[in-house]
């Protein structure tokens, strides 16, 4: 049994292992950082700590959407690295049982998200795409 | 006992003791009679022994114990210091250091029977029989006790030999003796006694004992005092006269210097704190400063005198708090300097050179982060001085220089910087040889070299892969020399310069910022975004007209003080919105060593002290940005890395 934070992009639900989530924040002022990939939106001041934020939408190859009341920054933190993930919405924590997690079986390159998702979790008739953070951030996390 | 949690403390403390041992052994080598230093060495060895035993490191314990034994003999004057004993002691300390390394890496020490064997052999060495001057059959004064008496004479002390006879009917003679010792202690210092104090305490004496005593009191007063003690039957007191020694003045100086260092060591009380906690504290203070700035902004609108007062008070407190936290992070450069005397001693022995190392300003304080990084570059420079700089004694004599070469290591504050100088009085840098090598390595052509100034030629020394040593020695000349030093120092936002005169010597001057966490910066606007440029890389701000910009081979250049320098359009590099130009350019002239460049910005905001925060690992590959800072309103401003703009 594991706990996951549910982050929404459009109608798709992504699950992020709760042990990597430090905090979930409403959108904060973002300072742009030059010479970075397009999905890197910049850095935020999270109570005195500078944290890079990336847009999950852009990372997944989706068009950008204006930030609104529901927009959230999910701050992921491991011992020496922190990154904020901008998502459309994140207001739920779910439990997924071990036996309800399956490996994804579509072929490589079919969908942009397949690069960052290798397992899915099921809760009744909901299907959640579990984000593989190592792949998403391209570094050990 | 579960000792895992103590291992770090153990390692750190042991390291300190080993450093202490090293520096005190060096002192002892220069001044073998110095009792204070011997005591200090003995204490360190003793503590190490105890700590190793507690932690269960048997081999380390054994070695430290053996050292302690030898030192005990020295302390008691039964053994006098010779150069071979010094070598063995140094060797033992080295092995202790190696053991400690091995403990920190593998968790285990190793047997050191060979050194222990050497240590055990010391007592049997010829020429180390007791060299004592016998005063009477029972109590003698050895050389260094004699020294102490001589010292004491200068301060108007008198030395007496006192024999106390206790009443034969006394039941508890050790208790009586204790009272006598106590009373004497109040009037002066007991040098030694016969039988030794331990034996007296154990009642291992007849009804009399003899002691040597230093005091400012008169003989009569002593006698009176002693006889006033019950059960003292009879007292014999005679004054001891020692002839003053020739080297007296010199000895005093050394002794006093040693005393000074020892008393310093004793007074510093400290608490060990994890550097992460300090960083955290620093962060919190920065936060406080930011929120304070914000309050000040709010107060300007509010105009309530009560609030104004409170905020002013807050301002003062945060400033002092900030200073205090900064000070906590500062450590004296002594921590780095400490290892050099030993290094110079060993290397000069190895190379057959005679070198004195003088160190000044060890108490100069630098931020902890800088200290950790500066050690290796300094080792490099000092090795260079020993290997290339200082000549062999014969050569020095031939040149009419003193036989013993000198290396000076100096640290001092200058404004917001720390300056560290390494200088020697050696042969200096051979300009012709540098030129030759530079051509040989294909760094310059004959014609190019000829036109270079002396300073420029010295700069070649810092180029990668350059070394003037003909032979690759163990000590330096492996070609990984000064360029590494320079890189390291530049990565710390510092600079390095070299000055050299043939046969007079070479001097390296390193300039480092006091702290890496807080810097003075110029806030500018590029597009509609704010950026900070570190003040130490700015040389000037000038105004230019757009039509002064020339285009040469696709590169924009501008004339600045008679020099042609490149233009860096910050809005392009920082990918900001382009602001319509009105024909005027605001140019921030930035410098990197000798190179200048003109950065165009859209507006100047002002100078401000900023707290540097890293962008984080995820963005570590952004070259033009050195970090970020949080402005008074909570906004994040990026810090431009001027060094990477060139």
């Amino acid at each position: 049994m594991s706990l996951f934070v549910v982050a929404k992009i459009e109608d798709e639900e992504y699950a992020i292992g709760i042990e990597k989530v430090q905090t979930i924040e409403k959108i904060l002022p973002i300072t742009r950082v030059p010479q970075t990939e397009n999905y890197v939106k910049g850095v935020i001041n999270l109570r005195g700590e500078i944290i890079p934020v990336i847009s999950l939408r852009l990372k997944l190859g989706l068009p950008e959407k204006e930030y609104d009341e529901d927009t959230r920054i999910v701050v992921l933190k491991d011992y020496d690295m922190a990154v904020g993930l901008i998502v459309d919405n994140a207001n739920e924590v779910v439990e997924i049982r071990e036996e309800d997690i399956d490996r994804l079986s579509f072929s490589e390159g079919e969908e942009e998200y397949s690069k960052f998702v290798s397992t899915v979790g099921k809760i009744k008739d909901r299907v959640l795409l579990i984000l593989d953070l190592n792949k998403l951030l391209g570094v050990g996390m | 006992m579960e000792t895992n949690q103590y291992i770090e403390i153990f390692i750190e403390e042991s390291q300190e003791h080993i450093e202490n041992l090293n520096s005190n052994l060096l002192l002892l080598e220069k001044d073998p009679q110095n009792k204070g230093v011997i005591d200090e060495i003995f204490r360190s060895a003793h503590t190490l022994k105890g700590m190793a035993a507690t932690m269960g490191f048997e081999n380390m314990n054994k070695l430290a114990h053996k050292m302690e034994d030898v030192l005990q003999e020295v302390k008691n004057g039964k053994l006098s210091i010779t150069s071979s004993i010094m070598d063995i002691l140094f060797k033992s300390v080295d092995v202790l250091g190696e053991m400690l390394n091995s403990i920190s890496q593998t968790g285990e020490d190793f047997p050191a029977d060979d050194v222990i064997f050497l240590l055990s052999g010391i007592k049997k060495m010829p020429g180390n029989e007791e060299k004592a001057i016998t005063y009477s059959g029972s109590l003698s004064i050895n050389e260094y006790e004699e020294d102490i008496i001589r010292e004491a004479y200068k301060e108007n002390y008198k030395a007496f030999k006192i024999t106390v006879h206790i009443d034969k009917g006394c039941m508890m003679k050790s208790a009586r003796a204790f009272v006598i010792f106590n009373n004497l202690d109040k009037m002066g210092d007991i040098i030694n006694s016969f039988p030794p104090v331990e034996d007296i305490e154990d009642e291992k004496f007849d009804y009399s004992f003899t002691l040597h005593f230093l005091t400012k009191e008169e003989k009569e007063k002593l006698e009176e005092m002693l006889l006033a003690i019950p059960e003292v039957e009879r007292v014999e007191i005679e004054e001891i006269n020692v002839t003053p020694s020739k080297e007296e003045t010199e000895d005093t100086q050394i002794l006093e210097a040693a005393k000074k260092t020892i008393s310093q060591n004793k007074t510093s009380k400290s608490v060990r704190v994890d550097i992460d906690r300090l960083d955290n504290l620093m962060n919190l203070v920065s936060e406080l400063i930011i929120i304070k700035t914000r309050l000040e902004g709010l107060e300007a609108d509010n105009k309530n005198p009560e609030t104004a007062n409170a905020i002013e008070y807050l301002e003062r407190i945060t400033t002092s708090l900030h200073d205090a936290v900064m000070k906590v992070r500062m450590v004296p450069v002594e921590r780095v300097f400490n290892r050099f005397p030993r290094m110079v001693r060993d290397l000069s022995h190895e190379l057959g050179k005679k070198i004195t190392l003088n160190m000044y300003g060890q108490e100069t304080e630098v931020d902890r982060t800088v200290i950790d990084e500066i050690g290796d570059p300094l080792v490099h420079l000092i090795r260079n001085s020993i290997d290339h700089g200082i000549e062999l004694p014969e050569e020095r004599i031939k040149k009419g220089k003193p036989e013993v070469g000198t290396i000076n290591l100096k640290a001092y504050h200058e404004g917001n910087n720390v300056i560290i100088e390494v200088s020697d009085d050696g042969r200096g840098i051979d300009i012709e040889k540098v030129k030759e090598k530079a051509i040989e390595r294909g760094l310059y052509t004959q014609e190019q070299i000829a036109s270079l100034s002396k300073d420029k030629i010295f700069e070649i020394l810092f180029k990668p892969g350059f070394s003037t040593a003909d032979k690759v020695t163990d000590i330096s000349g492996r070609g990984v020399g000064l360029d590494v030093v320079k890189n390291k120092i530049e990565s710390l936002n510092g600079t390095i310069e070299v000055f050299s005169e043939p046969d007079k010597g070479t001097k390296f001057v390193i300039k480092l910022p006091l702290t890496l966490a807080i810097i003075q910066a110029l806030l500018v606007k590029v597009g509609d975004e704010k950026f900070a440029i570190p003040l130490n890389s700015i040389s000037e701000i000038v105004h230019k007209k757009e039509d002064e910009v020339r285009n040469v081979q696709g590169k924009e250049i501008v004339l600045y003080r008679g020099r042609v320098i490149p233009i860096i359009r910050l809005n392009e590099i920082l990918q900001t919105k382009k602001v319509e130009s009105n024909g005027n350019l605001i140019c921030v002239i930035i410098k990197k060593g000798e190179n200048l460049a003109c950065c165009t910005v859209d507006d100047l905001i002002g100078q401000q002290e900023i707290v540097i925060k890293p962008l984080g690992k995820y963005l570590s590959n952004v070259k033009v940005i050195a970090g970020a800072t949080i402005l008074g309103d909570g906004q994040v401003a990026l810090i431009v890395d001027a060094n990477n703009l060139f």
Side-chain angles (χ1 to χ4, degrees):
Chain A
M1 195 79 85
S2 324
L3 288 174
F4 290 86
V5 172
V6 181
K8 273 193 190 163
I9 302 280
E10 304 276 335
D11 292 327
E12 206 73 75
E13 291 185 314
Y14 292 89
I16 301 164
I18 203 160
E19 65 281 355
K20 301 285 187 205
V21 178
Q22 187 195 14
T23 166
I24 299 171
E25 300 284 323
K26 286 195 172 186
I27 197 75
L28 291 163
I30 298 174
T31 302
R32 196 186 55 87
V33 178
Q35 302 190 358
T36 48
E37 304 287 342
N38 74 318
Y39 55 80
V40 176
K41 299 310 290 178
V43 288
I44 54 166
N45 165 17
L46 182 69
R47 290 179 283 278
E49 211 178 330
I50 304 285
I51 294 179
V53 287
I54 65 176
S55 158
L56 188 56
R57 278 181 157 271
L58 290 173
K59 187 79 187 174
L60 294 172
L62 298 168
E64 256 187 292
K65 175 175 167 273
E66 256 191 48
Y67 303 136
D68 56 29
E69 260 305 292
D70 288 332
T71 308
R72 291 290 180 275
I73 301 174
V74 181
V75 179
L76 310 171
K77 187 159 191 183
D78 217 356
Y79 66 99
D80 67 340
M81 190 170 101
V83 175
L85 218 52
I86 304 173
V87 298
D88 290 357
N89 195 350
N91 54 12
E92 194 186 355
V93 175
V94 294
E95 278 182 21
I96 306 177
R97 286 182 303 179
E98 222 52 76
E99 56 267 36
D100 289 336
I101 297 178
D102 294 319
R103 289 211 78 74
L104 214 51
S105 58
F106 46 68
S107 56
E108 192 72 37
E110 196 175 329
E111 293 279 352
E112 188 67 23
Y113 67 70
S114 66
K115 288 184 192 156
F116 317 117
V117 176
S118 40
T119 50
V120 289
K122 277 178 293 200
I123 305 168
K124 291 184 188 143
D125 47 359
R126 277 168 83 184
V127 178
L128 295 115
L129 302 168
I130 299 172
L131 281 176
D132 184 332
L133 299 179
N134 284 329
K135 288 186 181 162
L136 183 74
L137 304 175
V139 268
M141 182 140 189
Chain B
M1 186 169 77
E2 183 52 60
T3 48
N4 276 343
Q5 51 176 327
Y6 303 117
I7 190 103
E8 265 174 41
I9 303 176
F10 165 74
I11 288 172
E12 216 170 295
E13 286 192 355
S14 304
Q15 237 146 19
E16 250 165 53
H17 282 293
I18 288 172
E19 262 170 40
N20 259 343
L21 279 173
N22 254 326
S23 50
N24 283 321
L25 279 176
L26 284 167
L27 269 181
L28 185 67
E29 193 174 35
K30 284 191 199 124
D31 179 21
Q33 309 294 337
N34 193 326
K35 193 171 186 292
V37 175
I38 296 170
D39 284 347
E40 195 70 7
I41 297 172
F42 180 77
R43 258 199 294 279
S44 292
H46 180 78
T47 317
L48 269 177
K49 181 191 80 174
M51 290 199 302
T54 319
M55 299 296 294
F57 297 116
E58 267 318 304
N59 293 315
M60 196 166 170
N61 172 25
K62 239 197 259 169
L63 177 53
H65 187 104
K66 265 286 164 228
M67 273 187 81
E68 196 190 346
D69 281 352
V70 171
L71 291 164
Q72 179 77 54
E73 298 282 298
V74 177
K75 221 175 123 169
N76 291 346
K78 289 189 185 148
L79 197 65
S80 55
I81 295 292
T82 64
S83 70
S84 57
I85 292 182
M86 281 317 295
D87 283 344
I88 296 172
L89 287 175
F90 273 124
K91 176 107 179 71
S92 313
V93 175
D94 284 348
V95 175
L96 282 175
E98 284 162 24
M99 281 182 176
L100 198 63
N101 267 341
S102 144
I103 289 170
S104 71
Q105 277 156 19
T106 65
E108 276 169 44
D109 56 0
F110 51 82
D113 296 334
D114 44 342
V115 193
I116 291 179
F117 178 75
L118 285 175
L119 283 168
S120 318
I122 286 181
K123 274 185 250 173
K124 292 167 205 131
M125 276 186 190
N128 248 319
E129 294 84 33
E130 211 166 313
K131 282 188 203 159
I133 307 157
T134 313
Y135 270 83
S136 72
S138 51
L139 181 62
S140 58
I141 295 179
N142 63 25
E143 274 176 27
Y144 85 84
E145 281 160 353
E146 204 180 309
D147 253 8
I148 293 171
I149 296 173
R150 228 176 264 137
E151 279 311 311
Y153 258 74
K154 272 180 270 168
E155 283 163 40
N156 292 327
Y157 277 90
K158 288 192 193 76
F160 292 103
K161 180 178 170 187
I162 305 173
T163 309
V164 183
H165 299 269
I166 295 178
D167 193 281
K168 299 250 173 9
C170 175
M171 296 299 287
M172 293 173 68
K173 41 187 189 171
S174 70
R176 205 43 74 200
F178 178 76
V179 174
I180 294 168
F181 271 81
N182 248 359
N183 281 4
L184 284 173
D185 260 341
K186 281 178 205 149
M187 297 173 76
D189 294 309
I190 297 164
I191 305 171
N192 57 9
S193 70
F194 182 84
V197 187
E198 298 83 40
D199 289 349
I200 295 178
E201 279 170 9
D202 293 343
E203 299 217 353
K204 284 184 199 152
F205 68 109
D206 284 335
Y207 291 90
S208 69
F209 54 88
T210 311
L211 44 86
H212 284 136
F213 185 59
L214 283 177
T215 180
K216 285 184 177 169
E217 303 291 345
E218 293 302 319
K219 185 177 165 185
E220 289 70 33
K221 184 103 184 280
L222 275 180
E223 199 163 1
E224 191 185 321
M225 185 277 288
L226 287 169
L227 288 171
I229 298 169
E231 293 182 313
V232 173
E233 193 188 72
R234 187 158 55 84
V235 187
E236 294 158 23
I237 300 178
E238 56 176 288
E239 198 170 337
I240 306 166
N241 287 309
V242 214
T243 44
S245 106
K246 282 171 274 168
E247 312 151 81
E248 212 163 343
T249 42
E250 200 186 341
D251 276 358
T252 352
Q253 277 167 1
I254 298 168
L255 206 79
E256 266 161 20
K259 269 186 201 154
K260 227 166 141 191
T261 51
I262 286 162
S263 62
Q264 272 169 2
N265 287 350
K266 274 185 200 152
T267 46
S268 70
K269 275 185 195 159
S270 61
V271 183
R272 271 165 219 284
V273 182
D274 193 328
I275 188 86
D276 287 344
R277 291 196 192 174
L278 283 186
D279 286 344
N280 191 23
L281 189 60
M282 189 72 200
N283 269 339
L284 291 172
V285 172
S286 318
E287 281 301 285
L288 192 63
I289 290 174
I290 290 161
I291 192 77
K292 180 213 72 190
T293 322
R294 205 159 122 195
L295 270 179
E296 280 170 345
L298 291 176
E299 188 260 325
D301 308 333
N302 192 333
K303 302 251 167 23
N304 179 343
E306 283 290 305
T307 356
N309 271 343
I311 288 173
E312 206 183 298
Y313 189 45
L314 178 71
E315 150 108 48
R316 247 179 300 158
I317 293 173
T318 44
T319 311
S320 335
L321 183 61
H322 182 205
D323 286 350
V325 174
M326 286 293 296
K327 275 206 193 97
V328 172
R329 291 175 53 91
M330 304 283 259
V331 275
V333 287
E334 199 180 356
R335 283 183 69 129
V336 186
F337 280 19
N338 265 345
R339 63 172 119 154
F340 296 135
R342 179 67 202 281
M343 193 183 96
V344 172
R345 172 194 182 268
D346 288 359
L347 285 181
S348 50
H349 278 210
E350 200 178 301
L351 295 169
K353 295 181 179 179
K354 291 190 178 167
I355 300 172
T356 343
L357 174 72
N358 297 322
M359 301 196 290
Y360 307 94
Q362 288 109 299
E363 69 288 342
T364 312
E365 290 192 324
V366 189
D367 193 273
R368 170 70 197 253
T369 41
V370 179
I371 283 282
D372 290 345
E373 301 290 326
I374 191 65
D376 289 345
L378 285 179
V379 167
H380 230 109
L381 293 179
I382 293 174
R383 278 170 168 253
N384 263 336
S385 284
I386 300 171
D387 199 20
H388 307 317
I390 305 282
E391 309 90 333
L392 288 168
E394 309 86 68
E395 198 181 334
R396 290 184 68 91
I397 292 169
K398 235 182 268 168
K399 284 180 180 170
K401 290 187 186 183
E403 187 185 358
V404 181
T406 314
I407 294 178
N408 288 324
L409 190 57
K410 239 186 250 181
Y412 54 90
H413 283 149
E414 192 187 271
N416 255 334
N417 293 300
V418 179
I419 314 282
I420 300 177
E421 290 179 10
V422 180
S423 56
D424 63 57
D425 63 349
R427 57 170 73 96
I429 296 171
D430 186 342
I431 292 190
E432 290 312 313
K433 211 163 164 185
V434 174
K435 284 182 182 170
E436 222 172 88
K437 283 271 147 125
I439 296 167
E440 201 184 300
R441 302 269 148 105
L443 296 169
Y444 289 92
T445 62
Q446 193 87 48
E447 295 78 52
Q448 279 173 321
I449 280 279
S451 66
L452 289 182
S453 68
K454 194 172 153 192
D455 292 346
K456 283 275 177 198
I457 287 167
F458 286 153
E459 262 176 49
I460 301 177
L461 294 171
F462 295 107
K463 297 237 182 239
F466 187 89
S467 170
T468 55
D470 289 326
K471 271 184 296 180
V472 171
T473 64
D474 203 22
I475 293 146
S476 60
R478 283 151 302 180
V480 283
L482 290 172
D483 61 313
V484 180
V485 172
K486 189 175 185 178
N487 281 342
K488 184 99 232 174
I489 285 162
E490 279 178 355
S491 75
L492 295 170
N493 280 330
T495 57
I496 180 165
E497 280 178 291
V498 57
F499 303 93
S500 185
E501 287 288 327
D503 283 335
K504 288 214 175 109
T506 308
K507 179 158 89 172
F508 287 93
V509 180
I510 298 172
K511 195 171 175 184
L512 289 166
L514 263 190
T515 166
L516 297 179
I518 294 185
I519 57 164
Q520 287 288 337
L522 175 74
L523 284 185
V524 298
K525 248 185 175 172
V526 182
D528 49 10
E529 294 169 50
K530 286 177 188 166
F531 290 92
I533 305 174
L535 220 52
N536 63 5
S537 50
I538 297 177
S539 102
E540 195 182 359
I541 294 161
V542 292
H543 289 269
K544 291 276 173 194
K545 294 260 182 263
E546 194 71 69
D547 52 21
E548 288 177 66
V549 180
R550 306 274 152 72
N551 231 309
V552 176
Q553 291 171 336
K555 281 191 187 122
E556 286 188 308
I557 52 140
V558 74
L559 211 59
Y560 166 72
R561 292 180 187 263
R563 281 176 67 173
V564 172
I565 62 170
I567 286 207
I568 298 168
R569 301 256 181 198
L570 273 189
N571 63 327
E572 283 168 22
I573 288 192
L574 301 173
Q575 301 162 330
T576 60
K577 261 191 278 172
K578 195 164 165 57
V579 175
E580 268 320 303
S581 166
N582 56 2
N584 288 320
L585 286 179
I586 304 172
C587 296
V588 178
I589 308 290
I590 55 169
K591 56 174 191 248
K592 180 190 184 184
E594 286 289 293
N595 299 321
L596 296 175
C598 161
C599 287
T600 63
V601 300
D602 293 319
D603 201 3
L604 300 170
I605 300 170
Q607 182 184 333
Q608 198 177 317
E609 195 165 61
I610 59 167
V611 181
I612 303 181
K613 301 196 172 214
L615 278 189
K617 196 172 147 195
Y618 190 72
L619 294 176
S620 55
N621 54 356
V622 182
K623 288 282 174 286
V624 292
I625 302 297
T629 189
I630 297 170
L631 301 176
D633 55 4
Q635 230 184 93
V636 179
L638 300 179
I639 302 162
V640 178
D641 189 345
N643 282 331
N644 274 325
L645 290 177
F646 287 88

